[in-house]
Amino acid sequence: MVNAAHPLRRPTGRALAVRHLGPNWYASVMGTAVVATAGAALPVRLPGLRTACAGVWALSLVLLAALLVARALHWTHHRDQARAHLLDPATAPFYGCLAMALLAVGGATVVVGRDWIGTGAAVALDAVLFTAGTVLGLAAAVTVPYLMAVHHRVDRRQATPVWLLPLVAPMVSAAVGPLLVPYLPPGPARAALLPACAVMFGLSLLATLLTLPVIFARLRTAGPLPLALTPTLFLVLGPLGQSTTAVGSIADAAPFGDGFLVVLYGVPVMGFALLWSVVATALVLRARRRGMGFAMTWWAFTFPVGTCVTGAEALGRHTGLAAFDWLATGLYVVLVAAWAVVAVRTARGLISRELLAGPRPAPVGPRPVTVRTTSGAVR
């Protein structure tokens, strides 16, 4: 097929390799960066842990740079496919992952990356990534719901936790933005950052609260998700853990920070997150018994769990209860184990090129429960 962007040339080599590289791949950057951020704040101080977290941060930065280049090639040589992604209701929400990847790497940079590149460079890089991620996150939070309402024509039976992705991006900004406050000089920018984070916390929380009932109703009335989408149930943990983290971060940076507000909000929300994690785990085990194979949706086992780790760490700081410290440590062990499994499976799929393959031809007969979208994601 002739490239729509360059009618007289056919994409070759690397350009062809990224044709089916969708925005869902940014989830791998998010899941890697949160391992570094969550590990650096653990109440348990293990020898070499911070150094290992810095190494993971460096890996997330390299992954982000590689994906930005690959996606730029995608938009340059395969604009038809890029437009198809935006008009695909199963793929468009993943554009929120780009913003969250930028924000996650930026936050990890100022937390542990400064050990390797210095505080000044870390703050400068975080400022750039935070600004870009926030702008893109707000754009995704508006654009994707608009496309779903006007172009996608989806109904509630198609609702999945993937719909939460563009809505959670501003919450990530609210969680990592306060990390920059101590490094900003006194002035309007410093004074405005925390209120801006509070605004993004509110808009993301309310948008999430409007969407979650639709997702729950779909599960109750239409049954379990298709096998390949079952891991996305863990995406529900994202806004829960990230909002608890955001409240803690804002309280840490505010001169009038009140730990009581963190406890009042975070404890019940973390309780629901634990309840949902048990439900999601049970459904994933059920899907696994029924033949659920590896897909990029498995990255949902990483970043959302990581936000619960940072949320538990925030509650531990503000309550002084050892229970939250133990919870954060236990969840971090789960996070590292999940990240290791998913990272190895992803690397194996890249080497074999299976994860970069195009959509499989639709079989004759009834539609199966697992289908590739235009991005190579599954639904």
Side-chain angles (χ1 to χ4, degrees):
M1 184 177 66
V2 177
N3 186 2
H6 303 282
L8 299 180
R9 298 187 322 189
R10 295 176 182 271
T12 59
R14 295 177 182 177
L16 281 175
V18 301
R19 175 165 177 77
H20 300 288
L21 186 76
N24 55 317
W25 278 80
Y26 285 110
S28 62
V29 178
M30 298 159 52
T32 302
V34 79
V35 171
T37 304
L42 278 180
V44 178
R45 301 300 178 186
L46 298 176
L49 176 60
R50 188 171 179 89
T51 301
C53 288
V56 174
W57 159 78
L59 175 61
S60 72
L61 184 61
V62 171
L63 289 175
L64 176 62
L67 275 174
L68 288 174
V69 171
R71 288 287 295 168
L73 287 172
H74 181 274
W75 273 94
T76 301
H77 296 282
H78 305 290
R79 292 179 187 173
D80 60 323
Q81 189 77 347
R83 286 191 293 268
H85 287 170
L86 284 172
L87 297 179
D88 183 351
T91 306
F94 284 101
Y95 273 91
C97 291
L98 166 58
M100 289 188 282
L102 295 170
L103 293 165
V105 174
T109 300
V110 80
V111 171
V112 293
R114 62 183 181 181
D115 295 352
W116 286 16
I117 64 175
T119 299
V123 171
L125 179 58
D126 184 23
V128 172
L129 294 176
F130 173 76
T131 302
T134 297
V135 171
L136 290 172
L138 291 172
V142 173
T143 303
V144 175
Y146 173 83
L147 290 173
M148 293 178 71
V150 175
H151 295 287
H152 294 166
R153 303 299 184 184
V154 295
D155 60 47
R156 64 182 62 189
R157 291 174 298 178
Q158 297 174 286
T160 73
V162 172
W163 290 9
L164 295 171
L165 289 172
L167 307 178
V168 179
M171 187 67 77
V172 181
S173 293
V176 303
L179 297 175
L180 284 171
V181 171
Y183 302 102
L184 293 178
R190 182 172 182 173
L193 183 55
L194 280 182
C197 290
V199 168
M200 289 185 286
F201 170 88
L203 70 88
S204 178
L205 179 63
L206 293 176
T208 298
L209 291 177
L210 289 173
T211 306
L212 281 177
V214 181
I215 297 170
F216 294 159
R218 182 254 179 263
L219 289 175
R220 291 175 64 91
T221 58
L225 295 174
L227 296 183
L229 278 179
T230 303
T232 65
L233 291 169
F234 276 80
L235 294 177
V236 174
L237 298 179
L240 303 176
Q242 196 65 265
S243 61
T244 304
T245 304
V247 172
S249 297
I250 293 172
D252 290 340
F256 50 85
D258 189 351
F260 175 73
L261 295 178
V262 181
V263 176
L264 183 65
Y265 175 85
V267 171
V269 170
M270 189 58 63
F272 179 72
L274 292 175
L275 171 65
W276 183 256
S277 67
V278 174
V279 174
T281 299
L283 288 170
V284 166
L285 292 176
R286 173 187 177 276
R288 189 65 173 160
R289 289 193 302 269
R290 284 161 172 75
M292 181 188 75
F294 176 74
M296 288 298 289
T297 51
W298 282 33
W299 281 101
F301 297 140
T302 58
F303 187 77
V305 176
T307 67
C308 291
V309 176
T310 56
E313 290 168 347
L315 290 176
R317 290 195 307 272
H318 288 277
T319 64
L321 294 177
F324 288 113
D325 293 341
W326 283 108
L327 176 61
T329 303
L331 289 175
Y332 187 71
V333 171
V334 173
L335 168 64
V336 172
W339 177 82
V341 171
V342 179
V344 169
R345 298 292 295 269
T346 302
R348 188 182 303 169
L350 273 174
I351 294 172
S352 67
R353 294 183 174 268
E354 180 182 355
L355 292 178
L356 295 175
R360 299 185 182 97
V364 178
R367 180 181 177 180
V369 296
T370 303
V371 178
R372 269 190 194 275
T373 66
T374 56
S375 70
V378 287
R379 61 187 174 104

